[in-house]
Amino acid sequence: MSKNVVAVILNYLAYWETEKCVASILKKQMQVKHIVIVDNGSSNDSFQILSGKFIGNKEVTVLRTHRNYGFAKGNNIGIRYAKMVLKAEYVMLLNSDIVIMEEQFLDKLLKVETSNTAVISSRILLPDGTGKLLTNAAYSVKDILFTCIGFYVHSPVVLKLLNKLKDGKKIKRVNGCAFLLTPAFLVNMMDYIHILFYIVKNIF
């Protein structure tokens, strides 16, 4: 697999978890071109510890925000860096407490990708070995747009139209702890979502 995949890990206070997450990626020798750690305004020594840990490692960049921007905006900072600076084709978002267990982790995610796949959600196991998500799942551009509209827009008219467009199909939400953003998302979806946020803010 010769794709430019960048992993983004959001850290808040738990630098020891982030270290384990990064180590699991490096140990598996996955085809990840770069790892971006975003320290989301930690009030402890997370930034200093992580910066010191990975200083000189050309595969890891540690960014710092000066306050906690929350989950979505913190990840968006990492996504923007991955796209603009590292020219990522794919961005893999991981919670800091995730540990990669499979050698073919990325290959297995990409096997479910189609030309219309925007997001691929990873199979997730809990520490006791039980399954939280048992299979990798692909979400289309349509799936993601419907999810965003349903989450942010509460107009009865819009929701009625949304239900009609979905043809009665239930759109599942993406599990937020480990998933892959594809070129279909990074090239097109970000613009769609920005437009949606503008409409929500200014009309509804």
Side-chain angles (χ1 to χ4, degrees):
M1 182 185 68
S2 57
K3 302 179 186 295
N4 187 0
V5 181
V6 175
V8 173
I9 304 168
L10 190 65
N11 178 79
Y12 181 66
L13 301 176
Y15 61 86
W16 58 93
E17 289 183 343
T18 299
E19 288 179 355
K20 290 179 182 178
C21 182
V22 172
S24 73
I25 297 172
L26 298 176
K27 183 179 179 181
K28 297 302 179 187
Q29 297 182 334
M30 296 190 304
Q31 299 298 316
V32 173
K33 300 291 186 182
H34 205 87
I35 300 169
V36 178
I37 301 169
V38 180
D39 182 59
N40 201 15
S42 295
S43 56
N44 62 3
D45 293 330
S46 280
F47 176 72
Q48 289 81 2
I49 291 171
L50 291 169
S51 295
K53 174 77 174 181
F54 299 109
I55 191 169
N57 189 326
K58 295 180 180 180
E59 296 179 81
V60 182
T61 296
V62 184
L63 305 178
R64 182 186 197 182
T65 67
H66 293 287
R67 65 184 179 89
N68 186 343
Y69 284 106
F71 181 81
K73 192 169 183 179
N75 273 308
N76 281 338
I77 290 169
I79 294 170
R80 189 176 300 112
Y81 185 89
K83 283 182 60 181
M84 303 302 293
V85 178
L86 302 173
K87 308 303 179 185
E89 296 176 86
Y90 294 77
V91 175
M92 183 169 65
L93 297 175
L94 300 170
N95 280 8
S96 62
D97 61 350
I98 290 291
V99 175
I100 305 297
M101 302 298 292
E102 295 182 291
E103 296 286 348
Q104 303 300 318
F105 178 75
L106 272 177
D107 290 336
K108 289 181 178 180
L109 287 182
L110 291 169
K111 279 182 179 178
V112 301
E113 182 186 16
T114 68
S115 60
N116 194 41
T117 299
V119 177
I120 305 171
S121 186
S122 170
R123 176 174 177 261
I124 301 293
L125 293 178
L126 297 173
D128 63 3
T130 59
K132 189 173 182 181
L133 287 179
L134 296 179
T135 59
N136 299 329
Y139 299 81
S140 69
V141 171
K142 184 177 178 181
D143 290 338
I144 301 302
L145 280 175
F146 282 167
T147 299
C148 289
I149 293 170
F151 188 77
Y152 287 102
V153 180
H154 301 289
S155 163
V157 175
V158 174
L159 292 176
K160 184 177 180 180
L161 176 61
L162 181 63
N163 288 328
K164 185 176 180 180
L165 291 172
K166 287 194 299 184
D167 299 323
K169 295 179 181 178
K170 184 178 179 181
I171 304 298
K172 297 179 181 179
R173 290 188 179 178
V174 179
N175 188 288
C177 47
F179 58 93
L180 187 68
L181 305 179
T182 73
F185 183 96
L186 295 172
V187 175
N188 299 315
M189 284 294 301
M190 295 295 281
D191 290 336
Y192 294 155
I193 291 173
H194 288 155
I195 292 170
L196 172 62
F197 286 167
Y198 177 84
I199 293 172
V200 170
K201 183 178 179 181
N202 292 280
I203 299 177
F204 296 100

